[in-house]
Amino acid sequence: MNSIAEIPPRLSRVVERLVAGVATSDGAGVKLTRVLTGKLQQRLDPFLMLDAFGSDDPDDYIAGFPDHPHRGFETVTYMLYGRMRHRDSAGHEGLLESGGVQWMTAGRGVIHSELPEQQDGVMEGFQLWLNLPAERKLCEPWYCDFPGEAIPEYLTSGGVTVRVIAGNSNGVTGAVIREVTEPLYLDVHLPAGATFSTALADTHNAFIYVYRGTVQVGDTQVEARRMGILGNTGDGVTLTATEESRLILIAGKPLNEPIVQHGPFVMNTREEIQQALDDFNNGHFAQPRRSTP
């Protein structure tokens, strides 16, 4: 892995607000922290939800997420540690392992399950919900599994390791590119005292979530298990680790469209939500297909 020299932004964004996640459970009782909730959907458009999960107690995760539907958005599951088996209504299945990512476009409707394939040990990761524009909410479902070794990485001259799940950072293109929402999704590992910079489009909403250590962004310290919502002034962000730290950095171009959510369905109008409920209850959800991104 070659070392890359970062280009510091002319003006770094600052932290507008710190957010502590809400402890909850989902699926069949999986314990998790909901970091991005419905109250932040407009501010962090096009992102709808971010869940962080992590435990070495199998009672916290072993029941997993049995069959459940989605319509109108994309899910991005990033597994730091553990093994999760995906199955869907078309008979597709895949094993998401440590370092891997599953990117799924629910589109007009998909039913799937995500079940742990381990009886003990640590399971840790994130699930991000990314909205779809109105014209693509009823597109054909799609998904792709990316093993850990398929996620592009780079090393900065300051010793920072960056995994590029989506978008482009310091000239390195990630595993997934989306034209409308233009998401950037980085997993950044910083040694103590290291500084990291990356460009951010001035049109994009952005946030960080620190899951190890503590980082400094301007005058604000962001500790572990905290989200830092970044203000929209600046052409990038620069942050410094006050100790060995890890974080995810996420940014995307807002859709500026109405958001109407009913559980696992996210559409633009209440009428479209009712149609989603009717289609699901009548067994009309599409069968997903698997392909390259």
Side-chain angles (χ1 to χ4, degrees):
M1 185 164 49
N2 295 327
S3 177
I4 288 178
E6 307 147 273
I7 301 175
R10 292 185 299 274
L11 177 62
S12 176
R13 296 195 188 194
V14 298
V15 174
E16 171 187 295
R17 177 182 170 189
L18 292 173
V19 176
V22 178
T24 186
S25 65
D26 209 336
V30 176
K31 292 184 179 179
L32 51 84
T33 299
R34 186 142 295 160
V35 183
L36 197 169
T37 65
K39 293 180 180 179
L40 292 171
Q41 287 178 345
Q42 294 292 344
R43 173 62 187 88
L44 293 175
D45 180 10
F47 304 107
L48 301 165
M49 189 185 79
L50 175 67
D51 284 345
F53 54 89
S55 177
D56 58 4
D57 181 353
D59 288 341
D60 290 343
Y61 61 74
I62 199 66
F65 303 89
D67 284 350
H68 57 283
H70 290 301
R71 172 179 277 189
F73 60 97
E74 302 189 271
T75 67
V76 185
T77 306
Y78 179 30
M79 187 69 71
L80 296 174
Y81 299 102
R83 295 160 57 89
M84 190 86 77
R85 175 72 63 178
H86 163 93
R87 291 186 174 91
D88 64 40
S89 50
H92 299 139
E93 69 175 77
L95 182 62
L96 185 58
E97 299 186 81
S98 298
V101 172
Q102 184 192 78
W103 197 293
M104 185 186 75
T105 304
R108 64 191 181 94
V110 66
I111 301 170
H112 74 152
S113 65
E114 300 151 300
L115 299 174
E117 198 161 275
Q118 62 186 73
Q119 298 298 316
D120 53 27
V122 176
M123 177 168 285
E124 183 179 14
F126 304 98
Q127 186 169 94
L128 176 72
W129 287 14
L130 171 63
N131 207 359
L132 284 168
E135 68 269 17
R136 295 205 66 238
K137 281 191 174 292
L138 297 181
C139 68
E140 286 297 316
W142 171 91
Y143 88 97
C144 190
D145 292 325
F146 299 90
E149 59 271 20
I151 305 300
E153 294 186 3
Y154 67 89
L155 180 70
T156 74
S157 55
V160 178
T161 300
V162 183
R163 310 192 77 218
V164 188
I165 295 168
N168 185 287
S169 173
N170 289 310
V172 176
T173 299
V176 175
I177 296 292
R178 287 289 181 264
E179 292 184 354
V180 179
T181 50
E182 301 177 1
L184 174 70
Y185 192 152
L186 308 179
D187 179 18
V188 185
H189 301 187
L190 302 100
T195 294
F196 170 72
S197 296
T198 192
L200 296 173
D202 59 8
T203 53
H204 289 33
N205 292 324
F207 64 91
I208 64 171
Y209 179 76
V210 178
Y211 65 93
R212 299 277 196 283
T214 304
V215 301
Q216 191 81 19
V217 185
D219 296 330
T220 304
Q221 185 171 277
V222 186
E223 299 177 344
R225 296 180 296 280
R226 293 291 184 273
M227 169 198 279
I229 298 176
L230 301 180
N232 289 75
T233 300
D235 60 331
V237 65
T238 296
L239 50 87
T240 301
T242 58
E243 58 184 308
E244 184 176 351
S245 302
R246 296 187 177 188
L247 61 95
I248 54 173
L249 168 59
I250 294 173
K253 187 175 182 179
L255 293 170
N256 296 314
E257 296 176 350
I259 300 170
V260 182
Q261 180 175 355
H262 180 86
F265 309 129
V266 182
M267 304 300 290
N268 299 112
T269 68
R270 294 188 181 278
E271 290 76 16
E272 290 171 339
I273 290 292
Q274 186 58 56
Q275 186 64 57
L277 288 166
D278 291 346
D279 289 347
F280 172 62
N281 290 330
N282 292 323
H284 295 159
F285 268 26
Q287 301 298 312
R289 62 184 177 86
R290 188 175 192 273
S291 65
T292 55

